Amino acid sequence: MIEMQEVYMTYPNGVVALNGIDVKIGQGEFVYIVGPSGAGKSTFTKLLIREELPTNGAVTVNNKNITELKWKEVPYFRRNIGVVYQDFRLLPKLTVYENIAFAMEVIEETPKNIRKRVMSVLEQVGLKNKARFIPDELSGGEQQRVAIARAIVNRPSILIADEPTGNLDPETSWEIMQILEEINASGTTILMATHSKEIVNTIKKRVIAVEDGTIVRDEHRGEYGYEI
Ligand code: ADP
Ligand code: ADP
C-alpha cells in the first residue's frame, strides 16, 4: 500500500536528503522510523503526503504513483492520510470541537455527519468533556489527542506521526501510544518518526532506521538502536 522505489531527494540548495530508498509497507502495519537528526525521516514522510516531490523514483500510495498527481488532485489524495506533528499545530482560536469539525467541513460533509463523527472521535481520544475548550486551556497531552482526533476524523487509511511524543512527558507519551495502538488495531497503517528509545524498545513494532538518506536497518519487532 506504500512503496518507494529508487527514491532520491535533493533539495534545491543541493542537500541530498534521501539517497536511494526502496521500501514496502503493507496496509495495517505499525512502523517506527528512527535515525539521527538530519537523516531524512521528515523528508521521507513529506514525500508520502506529496508535500515534497522526489528528484527521482516512484512513491506509490494505495496503488497510485503519487509523484504523477496533478496539482489539483493533491488535496483529494491527502484526504486519505492523517498527519500528527510534535508541535500539535491546532488552530488556537477554535475550540477542540471546531478544530476537529473543520477537517470535515473542508471535505463538505453534512452537518449531521460532522456532529456525530466529531463526538465519536472525541470519545475515542477521551476528550468528550473538553469539546468547548480552546487549545491554550489544555495540557500538551490533551492537545496532541485533539490533533490525533483531527487526523483520523475522516477515516484515513494511513496516519503519519512525526515525533508525536517529542514535547510530552513520559507518562503522557504512553497515553498517546495507547491511542495510536488502538487506531492501528482498527486497521489504519501508522508510520511514526521518533527519537524515543523507551517507546520503540517497549512497544515492539517494525523499525526502519534511516541514516544519511538510506535505510540501514529494517526489522520486525526491532530495537531503537541508538543511545539517544
Ligand atoms: P530528519 O527528519 O531525519 O531530521 P530531514 O528529512 O529533516 O531529516 O533532513 C534531511 C536533510 O535534508 C538534512 O540535511 C536537512 O538539513 C535537509 N533539509 C531538510 N529540509 C530541507 C529543506 N526544505 N531545504 C533544504 N534542506 C533541507
Ligand atoms: P525535524 O528533523 O525535527 O523534523 P526539520 O525537518 O524542520 O526538523 O529540520 C531538520 C533539519 O533540516 C534542520 O537541521 C533544519 O535546519 C533543516 N532545514 C529545515 N528546513 C530547511 C530549509 N528550508 N532550508 C535548509 N535547511 C532546512
Side-chain angles (χ1 to χ4, degrees), residues 11 16 23 52 81 89 102 121 124 133 135 156 163 203 212 222:
Y11 282 104
V16 178
V23 71
E52 297 282 358
I81 306 188
R89 303 196 189 179
F102 187 68
V121 290
Q124 199 177 340
F133 286 48
E163 293 195 43
I203 306 175
D212 293 331

Side-chain angles (χ1 to χ4, degrees), residues 9-18 33-46 52 162-163 193 195 210 213:
M9 174 66 189
T10 304
Y11 282 104
N13 63 354
V15 172
V16 178
L18 295 178
I33 314 289
V34 303
S37 225
K41 304 182 296 297
S42 294
T43 304
F44 181 87
T45 59
K46 283 174 185 168
E52 297 282 358
D162 196 350
E163 293 195 43
H195 284 290
V210 179

